[in-house]
Amino acid sequence: MLSERDYQDLLDRMQALRTQVAERLSGSLVSNPALAEEINRQLEDLVTAAREADAAGPQPPDGGLAQLVGVGPDAAQKFGDVKVSQGVAEYDENVNSERVVAVGDLYYIYQHERIGVFKVVQRLKQLFEGGAIRLSGGEGAYRLYQFDRRDVLRYTAKDRTAAYRRVLGYGRGLGAGQSRPNTDFHMLFSHFVNQVTLFWRDKRISDVIRERALDPSFGSIAVVRRAGLDLRNNLKFTSYGHLNVLRVEVMNLLEECFAILGSADVKDLFGAANAWDVVDEVLIRYFDVRLQSSPRQRMAVNGREVLRWLSGNHVMETGRGQFETLLMEIAEPSEEWLTSAQAMSLARRTGTDRVMPWEQMGQAGVAARYSERSPSQMPAARAGGPIYPQRGGLGTYRGGQGGVPARTRP
């Protein structure tokens, strides 16, 4: 552990080194910004190495307290001799990749639930059991039989709905186990996607119309990082519990559903070319709904890609070149997700709102929440107060069960 004098001396010497390097290379740094970034990275690596070496060295049993207050034979004679800590592990360094990936899979499942895949298979099962469709002994018929027999072993639709509410904030009421709904998810997710798309739009404009197009001063990676960290930190506290096993089971269930829908006898029954055609045909014929399969499915695929990107430590990369390279992986998925969500009035593009203040959490802010309910689905006000509408977003319950927000189903 460094003494206070050595600690201050280390910082002063590093500042002097930075100043000296900047003076000697000032001409080159102006014309080559990438050189400045590399120099700063290497100097920061030196500071990090010194900090790690100090932390790995011998530590006083009492953390230097006796030396500081002047007790015992090792009492400091001067303030500069006191041992000083250089800090603790950064908050945003720790992330459980598996849990964030599980949230991405749950988001993927939720969008397919909203399309109606599970209710289509349930309707086919009902029609099959009632002899209302011409299925008998084919592959699809046998898979429908197995689907029904395994039903008692699976998580129910109620379990899935409660998980969506707890982890993603979609739906109504409380989450699984009467837990607190994650009503901030959609706002933070939309905000992060917006910042990624804005970053790459700025980058493209810079490459086309600006002199020295590779100058990294246009567009800030810090804004993207902050939006990503806000979303990732939100997911850290909502991805505990049975989410992992639930998403594994339901992903297998989703695959089983498409095996049924893609069976030859089921496709022939509806004159369909593939499983998605069967889904659309059943939704139109038996549910009379307006199809949203295409945009929802693209939101599922691209939303899962964005969330999986956050499961790594890419967002903590400080080098511009490395950060841009890693961020490019979700540039197109973010743009496509935002386009699909905007087409369905589930999110909106922002051009000037770069930062979302904490005060806007739970309100209609940068990434406003939208309702997908028909008038017949509007819930009555709970005991404790009516629903108060908000401009640009969804109303919230005032009072009631601890101020639980109203139903949000983006």
Side-chain angles (χ1 to χ4, degrees), residues 67 123 169 192 205 399:
Q67 187 182 41
R123 177 54 61 92
F192 175 62
I205 293 172

Side-chain angles (χ1 to χ4, degrees), residues 18 21 23 78 95 97 116-117 121 145 156 187 238 251 294 300 325 353 381 394:
R18 293 177 187 274
V21 170
E23 289 178 353
K78 297 180 181 180
V95 61
S97 173
V117 173
V121 176
Y145 161 77
T156 64
M187 192 183 310
T238 59
M251 285 294 289
S294 179
T325 301
D353 298 319
L394 187 64

Side-chain angles (χ1 to χ4, degrees), residues 115-382:
I115 291 171
V117 173
F118 297 128
K119 73 177 182 180
V120 163
V121 176
Q122 286 292 340
R123 177 54 61 92
L124 285 178
K125 184 171 73 73
Q126 294 171 5
L127 294 172
F128 175 64
E129 291 172 350
I133 52 178
R134 295 179 180 274
L135 290 178
S136 178
E139 179 186 0
Y142 183 55
R143 287 184 180 275
L144 277 173
Y145 161 77
Q146 291 180 325
F147 184 86
D148 181 54
R149 295 298 91 190
R150 297 169 182 168
D151 188 59
V152 295
L153 302 176
R154 302 191 192 99
Y155 282 107
T156 64
K158 183 178 179 181
D159 295 329
R160 298 197 304 268
T161 302
Y164 302 148
R165 182 63 173 159
R166 178 175 71 85
V167 181
L168 305 176
Y170 299 155
R172 61 178 298 182
L174 298 174
Q178 304 296 302
S179 58
R180 178 182 178 181
N182 184 19
T183 54
D184 293 331
F185 168 78
H186 185 69
M187 192 183 310
L188 291 170
F189 184 57
S190 301
H191 181 59
F192 175 62
V193 171
N194 259 300
Q195 296 313 311
V196 173
T197 56
L198 281 172
F199 179 86
W200 286 108
R201 267 177 269 165
D202 289 349
K203 181 70 176 174
R204 294 186 188 106
I205 293 172
S206 174
D207 291 347
V208 173
I209 68 175
R210 295 179 67 247
E211 185 181 1
R212 298 196 318 276
L214 298 181
D215 185 346
S217 61
F218 188 75
S220 172
I221 65 175
V223 178
V224 181
R225 180 183 296 113
R226 183 67 265 158
L229 290 176
D230 287 343
L231 174 58
R232 196 174 73 169
N233 292 336
N234 173 266
L235 299 180
K236 284 170 62 175
F237 297 102
T238 59
S239 53
Y240 291 105
H242 71 320
L243 170 62
N244 228 335
V245 291
L246 181 142
R247 60 105 178 188
V248 171
E249 179 181 299
V250 181
M251 285 294 289
N252 293 335
L253 174 63
L254 188 62
E255 183 180 13
E256 186 178 346
C257 288
F258 272 83
I260 294 172
L261 298 171
S263 300
D265 51 345
V266 174
K267 290 190 294 184
D268 291 342
L269 186 65
F270 295 97
N274 52 57
W276 279 111
D277 287 348
V278 175
V279 171
D280 292 343
E281 184 64 29
V282 173
L283 288 173
I284 294 172
R285 185 180 302 184
Y286 295 100
F287 294 96
D288 191 27
V289 299
R290 185 176 181 182
L291 295 180
Q292 51 184 350
S293 306
S294 179
R296 284 280 185 188
Q297 216 278 326
R298 297 314 301 167
M299 287 176 65
V301 172
N302 293 296
R304 181 169 66 168
E305 288 300 313
V306 173
L307 291 170
R308 282 180 174 178
W309 188 86
L310 284 175
S311 68
N313 216 30
H314 306 326
V315 73
M316 294 299 297
E317 180 60 57
T318 57
R320 175 172 288 272
Q322 295 91 328
F323 187 85
E324 286 188 4
T325 301
L326 295 169
L327 190 65
M328 189 175 293
E329 179 183 350
I330 59 170
E332 293 304 323
S334 296
E335 191 73 47
E336 187 173 356
W337 182 93
L338 188 56
T339 302
S340 299
Q342 186 181 18
M344 299 187 65
S345 297
L346 302 180
R348 62 186 180 90
R349 291 183 183 271
T350 60
T352 58
D353 298 319
R354 295 282 182 168
V355 180
M356 181 171 57
W358 283 103
E359 290 77 8
Q360 292 186 355
M361 288 295 194
Q363 301 178 7
V366 173
R369 293 173 292 169
Y370 294 79
S371 171
E372 295 184 3
R373 298 166 294 171
S374 63
S376 62
Q377 295 174 311
M378 293 292 287
R382 297 185 181 180

